[in-house]
Amino acid sequence: ELVLKVRIQTPNLRENDFIEIELDRQELTYRALLQVSCHELGVNPEHVQKIRKLPNTMLRKDKDVARLQDFQELELVLTVSDKNLLFRVPTLSEQSGYNKKASELTY
């Protein structure tokens, strides 16, 4: 898996922490990155204007995503100015069961 750090671009907030997401290295596509990032952050993918690799590089295609390395920092830039309308709270089952491989681990 490829581990990336993702957050929503919100310059007005004091705390804007990154979350870590995992992408299957066999499916390193722009669409997969967008879907996983939006799911984990609770954002509608239709409201994402672009994905930025920090500090200043826009990701545009699958080849850009394939070049990403572990723990690179990304930001979702949203199109709507009132960001409070874009968020939804994921249910507990969505939060804990998204990563199929992780849910199959036994101790």
Side-chain angles (χ1 to χ4, degrees):
E1 291 183 334
L2 174 67
V3 179
L4 300 169
K5 295 168 61 176
V6 182
R7 70 179 181 188
I8 298 169
Q9 180 208 19
T10 51
N12 300 345
L13 294 179
R14 285 186 206 154
E15 291 187 32
N16 190 15
D17 294 332
F18 288 93
I19 63 166
E20 291 182 355
I21 63 167
E22 298 87 21
L23 289 178
D24 187 339
R25 289 191 186 269
Q26 306 303 327
E27 298 177 22
L28 289 180
T29 64
Y30 184 88
R31 182 180 177 134
L33 173 62
L34 180 64
Q35 287 179 327
V36 172
S37 299
C38 287
H39 179 82
E40 293 290 332
L41 291 168
V43 174
N44 185 336
E46 295 174 2
H47 294 139
V48 176
Q49 179 181 0
K50 61 185 171 182
I51 301 175
R52 177 184 298 133
K53 180 175 76 170
L54 294 178
N56 58 5
T57 304
M58 184 173 67
L59 299 178
R60 300 174 296 135
K61 54 190 174 186
D62 293 348
K63 285 185 178 184
D64 297 341
V65 175
R67 286 191 292 269
L68 294 174
Q69 297 178 0
D70 277 328
F71 301 104
Q72 285 197 298
E73 297 179 344
L74 307 175
E75 279 187 335
L76 299 183
V77 179
L78 305 179
T79 57
V80 179
S81 60
D82 186 2
K83 303 201 178 359
N84 292 330
L85 299 176
L86 303 178
F87 299 103
R88 66 173 184 79
V89 177
T91 64
L92 184 59
S93 63
E94 287 178 325
Q95 291 175 351
S96 62
Y98 184 75
N99 187 336
K100 293 178 186 175
K101 291 180 184 177
S103 65
E104 295 171 0
L105 294 176
T106 57
Y107 296 94

